[in-house]
């Protein structure tokens, strides 16, 4: 039986991070994953999504070029060419990780692993034993089991499409659904978003939802919110979405399920060794990712909080340092201050508390600073345009910045530095004393003047 210091089940962002860092400290590590290395992020998530987003971004900017007197002629999108280039890029990343693990001395077994006990796994007809076991199996798209569900595709399927639909219904108004909606609309598809939520990006600050709605309207993306889907009907190429109120939408050439993701924690032996699972399949863990079974750890999407690639990477690296390099004084991941971006059109960004969350915690000690403006990039546009919008949520007598929320071009690149400021406990005065970079959109965050008291639900004020 092969003996290791660490057994890692899952070759995605979190699993690779803990394997890489532990091997760098001299540990003997083995990684199991039947799929290409890189996990969801590399194969069906962040990377192919951002590559596709760039194509849509270039198309959108080309359409506005004439506002600056730039004459462009476009013959459209060569989508098969984009797909081919994207596949080649992802294969390069898969190959990179395979070679990198080999150089690190990490064993990679492209098989599905099954826990036999808290120290032993079985894969490919062999058994392997480790001092510690890390579960990092990630998640997969949810497809609701309702009539006609097989007529809908998922985000995983999207990245395998060789052509684009002329019309599509996207079921779900979270970040995956709206990212897909923005890209497909930029590519020319007629897009309808159908969701049971009352507002898009319901998990974000209400300002973000409200302003993004205005952008969706400007782009011609149809929305049916507060609508519960009860099934799909019709046939491939002409699918109708059936709503619980008796109405229908469509027919659509394609339908995309974007109603969330579920953890891949079933049928890998967790129950048999006594690892606790919540009803939704996520794994409760302590601050150092340990499950209720000593020696068995879990990280990444399967723990049910912070389901983002950088969070899984941070958790994996810090865990390895905690075990093998305590002199580095590693600290657990703080899940309360995770910066996040949705690559909608335009992007949204957030770090820290929403306004309602801050009010629930700090009450009348919350003050909010916010702004809306057009930005120089659309200075010559005719008619009303959806704005860039920014909000600072401040709390306490010193007005510590506890939340930042933004919608607009380039906010994805702006947020990283401001996230450092929030992490360090910056106050509104710190922002005020920072010299702005002019002319930029980012400078608005350090020049905000007028505040208002925080409210538990500021949507009405934003309207």
């Amino acid at each position: 039986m092969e003996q290791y210091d660490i057994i890692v089940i899952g070759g995605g962002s979190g699993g690779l991070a803990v394997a890489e860092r532990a091997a760098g400290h001299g540990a003997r590590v083995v990684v199991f994953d039947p799929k290409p290395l890189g996990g969801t992020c590399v194969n069906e998530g962040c990377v192919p999504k951002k590559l596709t987003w760039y194509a849509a971004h270039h198309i959108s900017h080309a359409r506005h070029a004439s506002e600056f007197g730039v004459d462009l002629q476009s013959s459209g999108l060569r989508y098969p060419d984009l797909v081919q280039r994207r596949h080649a890029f992802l294969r390069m990343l898969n190959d990179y990780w395979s070679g990198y693990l080999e150089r690190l001395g990490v064993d990679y077994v492209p098989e599905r692993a099954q826990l036999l006990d808290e120290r032993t796994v079985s894969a490919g007809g062999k058994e392997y034993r480790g001092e510690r076991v890390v579960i990092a199996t990630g998640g997969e798209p949810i497809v609701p089991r309702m009539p006609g569900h097989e007529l809908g595709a998922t985000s995983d399927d999207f990245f395998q499409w060789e052509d684009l639909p002329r019309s599509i219904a996207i079921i779900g108004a979270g970040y995956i659904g709206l990212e897909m909606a923005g890209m497909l609309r930029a590519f020319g598809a007629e897009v309808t978003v159908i969701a049971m939520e009352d507002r898009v990006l319901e998990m974000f600050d209400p300002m973000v939802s409200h302003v993004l709605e205005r952008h969706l309207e400007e782009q011609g993306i149809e929305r049916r919110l507060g609508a519960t889907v009860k099934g799909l009907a019709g046939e491939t190429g002409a699918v109708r979405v059936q709503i619980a109120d008796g109405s229908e939408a469509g027919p659509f050439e394609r339908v995309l399920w974007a109603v969330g993701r579920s953890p891949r924690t079933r049928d890998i032996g967790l129950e048999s060794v006594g690892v606790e699972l919540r009803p939704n399949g996520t794994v409760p863990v302590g601050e150092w990712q340990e499950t209720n079974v000593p020696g068995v750890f879990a990280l990444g999407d399967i723990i049910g909080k912070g389901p983002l690639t950088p969070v899984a990477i941070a958790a994996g690296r810090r865990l390895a340092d905690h075990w093998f390099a305590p002199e580095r004084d590693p600290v657990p991941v703080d899940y309360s201050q995770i910066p996040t971006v949705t690559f909608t059109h335009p992007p949204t960004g957030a770090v820290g508390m929403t306004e309602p969350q801050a009010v629930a915690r700090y009450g009348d000690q919350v003050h909010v600073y916010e702004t809306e403006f057009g930005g120089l990039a659309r200075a010559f546009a005719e008619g009303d345009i959806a704005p860039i919008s920014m909000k600072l949520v401040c709390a306490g007598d010193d007005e510590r910045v506890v939340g930042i929320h933004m919608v607009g071009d380039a906010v994805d690149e702006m947020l990283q530095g401001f996230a450092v400021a929030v992490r360090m406990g910056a106050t509104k005065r710190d922002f005020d004393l920072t010299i702005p970079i002019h002319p930029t959109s980012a400078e608005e965050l350090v020049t905000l003047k007028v505040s208002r008291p925080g409210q538990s639900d500021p949507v009405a004020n934003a309207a």
Side-chain angles (χ1 to χ4, degrees):
M1 182 184 298
E2 298 280 353
Q3 299 282 339
Y4 292 91
D5 296 307
I6 301 175
I7 288 174
V8 180
I9 302 178
S13 300
L16 292 174
V18 70
E20 173 191 23
R21 185 61 60 90
H25 293 316
R28 190 169 186 220
V29 185
V30 59
V31 174
F32 297 89
D33 200 320
K35 300 181 68 176
L37 287 172
T40 297
C41 180
V42 167
N43 296 297
E44 300 105 3
C46 324
V47 177
K49 180 266 301 290
K50 189 66 181 288
L51 293 172
T52 310
W53 182 89
Y54 270 123
H57 180 70
H58 293 323
I59 290 173
S60 298
H61 277 255
R63 288 175 179 155
H64 298 312
S66 62
E67 296 171 8
F68 284 81
V70 179
D71 292 327
L72 295 176
Q73 290 185 343
S74 174
S75 58
L77 173 68
R78 301 190 308 274
Y79 192 70
D81 188 24
L82 171 62
V83 172
Q84 180 182 6
R85 292 168 184 258
R86 191 175 63 204
H87 285 338
F89 189 83
L90 301 186
R91 285 195 298 271
M92 179 271 293
L93 293 179
N94 299 146
D95 292 342
Y96 163 80
W97 273 110
S98 296
Y100 185 45
L101 290 186
E102 184 176 356
R103 292 193 299 275
L104 288 172
V106 174
D107 289 343
Y108 165 47
V109 180
E111 299 280 354
R112 185 175 182 273
Q114 182 87 10
L115 277 166
L116 300 180
D117 59 40
E118 64 272 19
R119 297 289 182 273
T120 312
V121 303
S122 172
K126 294 178 62 177
E127 292 185 4
Y128 304 77
R129 189 166 180 82
E131 292 299 313
R132 300 179 177 94
V133 175
V134 177
I135 312 298
T137 43
E140 57 192 358
I142 294 172
V143 176
R145 290 298 180 256
M146 59 178 59
H149 65 84
E150 70 281 356
L151 292 170
T154 69
S155 57
D156 287 2
D157 301 319
F158 171 84
F159 293 114
Q160 302 303 318
W161 291 350
E162 297 290 339
D163 59 0
L164 290 168
R166 291 183 296 271
S167 64
I168 187 167
I170 296 175
I171 302 175
Y175 73 95
I176 293 176
L178 294 186
E179 287 175 344
M180 295 295 179
M183 291 186 289
L184 286 164
R185 182 60 185 148
F187 294 153
E190 295 295 326
V191 179
T192 300
V193 174
I194 303 172
M196 63 187 300
E197 302 98 309
D198 291 326
R199 59 182 173 96
V200 300
L201 291 185
E202 192 175 47
M203 71 294 292
F204 281 72
D205 188 272
M207 177 276 286
V208 171
S209 302
H210 174 73
V211 174
L212 190 58
E213 272 270 7
R214 295 161 69 180
H215 284 278
L216 298 177
E217 180 71 24
E218 185 178 278
Q219 293 161 29
I221 295 174
E222 298 290 332
R223 285 94 57 213
R224 287 193 62 173
L225 302 179
T228 300
V229 174
K230 69 174 185 179
L232 305 181
E235 58 187 9
T236 301
V239 183
R240 303 187 309 278
V241 180
Q242 299 174 323
I243 312 298
D245 64 6
S247 64
E248 284 190 340
F252 302 96
E253 191 171 323
R254 289 181 187 158
V255 171
L256 187 74
W257 293 110
V259 293
R261 296 177 65 82
S262 60
R264 291 192 181 103
T265 53
R266 304 295 184 186
D267 302 322
I268 59 173
L270 293 178
E271 300 95 333
S272 65
V273 301
V275 173
E276 180 185 355
L277 294 176
R278 300 187 183 97
N280 65 358
T282 57
V283 183
V285 295
E287 67 172 0
W288 283 112
Q289 312 299 141
E290 191 164 25
T291 70
N292 63 303
V293 176
V296 179
F297 301 79
L299 54 82
D301 292 4
I302 64 171
I303 69 171
K305 54 183 178 180
L308 299 166
T309 290
V311 178
I313 292 172
R317 289 175 176 171
R318 296 182 194 189
L319 184 58
D321 287 345
H322 175 65
W323 289 334
F324 301 110
E327 69 278 3
R328 292 189 177 187
D329 195 24
V331 296
V333 171
D334 180 357
Y335 289 91
S336 68
Q337 290 190 344
I338 298 171
T340 185
V341 163
T342 62
F343 286 98
T344 45
H345 281 74
T348 75
V351 63
M353 297 182 183
T354 65
E355 182 177 344
Q357 288 170 342
V359 170
R361 179 167 179 178
Y362 297 105
D364 60 8
Q365 290 293 299
V366 173
H367 284 86
V368 174
Y369 298 79
E370 55 194 340
T371 184
E372 285 189 358
F373 56 98
L376 293 181
R378 300 298 310 280
F380 303 137
E382 296 182 358
D384 293 333
I385 62 170
I388 300 170
S389 190
M390 299 180 177
K391 174 190 281 191
L392 293 182
V393 181
C394 304
D397 293 337
D398 60 351
E399 290 198 312
R400 182 168 61 91
V401 179
V402 297
I404 300 177
H405 308 276
M406 300 188 285
V407 182
D409 281 343
V411 303
D412 49 319
E413 297 291 352
M414 296 176 204
L415 184 63
Q416 189 68 75
F418 285 104
V420 175
V422 173
R423 175 73 178 82
M424 295 179 70
T427 65
K428 180 62 169 64
R429 178 169 170 79
D430 292 321
F431 277 47
D432 293 341
L433 294 176
T434 300
I435 303 298
I437 301 170
H438 182 74
T440 66
S441 295
E443 69 179 300
E444 295 289 332
L445 283 174
V446 297
T447 59
L448 293 170
K449 299 289 192 300
V450 181
S451 71
R452 62 169 173 80
Q455 299 180 32
S456 59
D457 186 1
V459 171
N461 277 2

